[in-house]
Amino acid sequence: MIDKGSGVSYYRQLTEVLKRQIEDGVFQPGDRIPSEKELGIIFQVNRHTVRQALGELAGRGMICTVRGKGTFVAGKQEEVIDYKISRRTRFT
């Protein structure tokens, strides 16, 4: 829950709570998370705070928003292969 007396901004606390829930498997990849309004009611914060927290998680690639459908937990990130490209490298 959000500790209103901690001195840490509400959106950062909410970001950490949701991040922890995703990492702990409360929300699985592809699951729809509650709406901004529902999260605001659950955590007793305004929608702007919820929107900021969701924006932070989206920036980290943990969630994605589909307009008109909702916000969903993103799938696992693919491992990036570091491959140097030179003049002799060809690709199509």
Side-chain angles (χ1 to χ4, degrees):
M1 295 316 281
I2 303 298
D3 181 8
K4 303 215 177 199
S6 72
V8 177
S9 62
Y10 298 163
Y11 90 91
R12 288 188 191 267
Q13 291 183 55
L14 181 57
T15 301
E16 288 305 311
V17 168
L18 294 173
K19 177 180 170 253
R20 210 171 316 119
Q21 288 181 343
I22 292 169
E23 290 172 346
D24 292 345
V26 174
F27 297 113
Q28 298 291 322
D31 285 353
R32 184 180 173 278
I33 63 173
S35 69
E36 291 175 0
K37 183 177 181 180
E38 293 168 333
L39 288 171
I41 291 169
I42 292 167
F43 293 101
Q44 299 177 353
V45 293
N46 65 35
R47 284 182 64 192
H48 179 72
T49 301
V50 173
R51 195 170 290 152
Q52 238 181 329
L54 293 177
E56 184 78 21
L57 292 172
R60 294 179 189 181
M62 297 185 79
I63 61 170
C64 59
T65 302
V66 180
R67 189 173 185 162
K69 300 274 185 193
T71 304
F72 299 87
V73 177
K76 294 190 177 189
Q77 299 293 324
E78 298 294 323
E79 186 176 329
V80 176
I81 299 172
D82 188 23
Y83 187 79
K84 301 214 184 291
I85 296 179
S86 67
R87 289 186 205 164
R88 296 182 64 189
T89 304
R90 295 181 185 196
F91 61 92
T92 57

